Amino acid sequence: QVQLVESGGGLVQAGGSLRLSCAASGSIFNINAMGWYRQAPGKQRELVARITSGGSTNYAGSVKGRFTISRDNAKNTVYLQMNSLKPEDTAVYYCNAANMYSGYWGQGTQVTVSS
């Protein structure tokens, strides 16, 4: 089992920045990718950004150039730096970790961007 704990959400004005953190613990030795997803009210959960164990990244088109995903392997932590936030970025953000057998989710952290 893998446990994921997110932090760093909150309320910010449009144009502002937030950094989300996701600390992983448990059976993390075979995790091959971690990522951030978000779900806005009435919408499906969508991928925001993902980073592999080798450091490759991919982003949703709507956040490319504004968000940056990174990882600190020594701390088993993944970060999402979010800049130039827009009201449409408002959602619950979930951390995800995946190995070849399963995927794991954190409890989610609310990000609210006011206009």
Side-chain angles (χ1 to χ4, degrees):
Q1 288 291 325
V2 174
Q3 294 79 43
L4 302 171
V5 178
E6 302 113 330
S7 61
L11 173 64
V12 65
Q13 287 189 331
S17 298
L18 284 173
R19 188 176 83 152
L20 305 183
S21 300
C22 173
S25 61
S27 302
I28 60 175
F29 60 93
N30 60 351
I31 293 297
N32 51 34
M34 293 186 71
W36 289 95
Y37 290 71
R38 67 186 181 187
Q39 187 166 19
K43 294 189 176 182
Q44 289 190 329
R45 191 173 297 188
E46 62 175 0
L47 174 68
V48 176
R50 182 175 175 271
I51 185 166
T52 68
S53 57
S56 297
T57 60
N58 62 289
Y59 296 90
S62 59
V63 307
K64 200 170 292 186
R66 299 188 296 124
F67 291 11
T68 302
I69 189 170
S70 61
R71 63 192 295 166
D72 184 332
N73 291 328
K75 296 182 179 180
N76 298 320
T77 300
V78 172
Y79 304 98
L80 184 68
Q81 178 66 44
M82 305 186 293
N83 298 328
S84 302
L85 282 160
K86 304 175 181 180
E88 51 263 43
D89 295 317
T90 295
V92 178
Y93 284 69
Y94 296 91
C95 181
N96 174 271
N99 57 29
M100 61 185 297
Y101 307 108
S102 188
Y104 303 89
W105 294 95
Q107 80 285 357
T109 185
Q110 177 71 46
V111 172
T112 302
V113 185
S114 63
S115 57

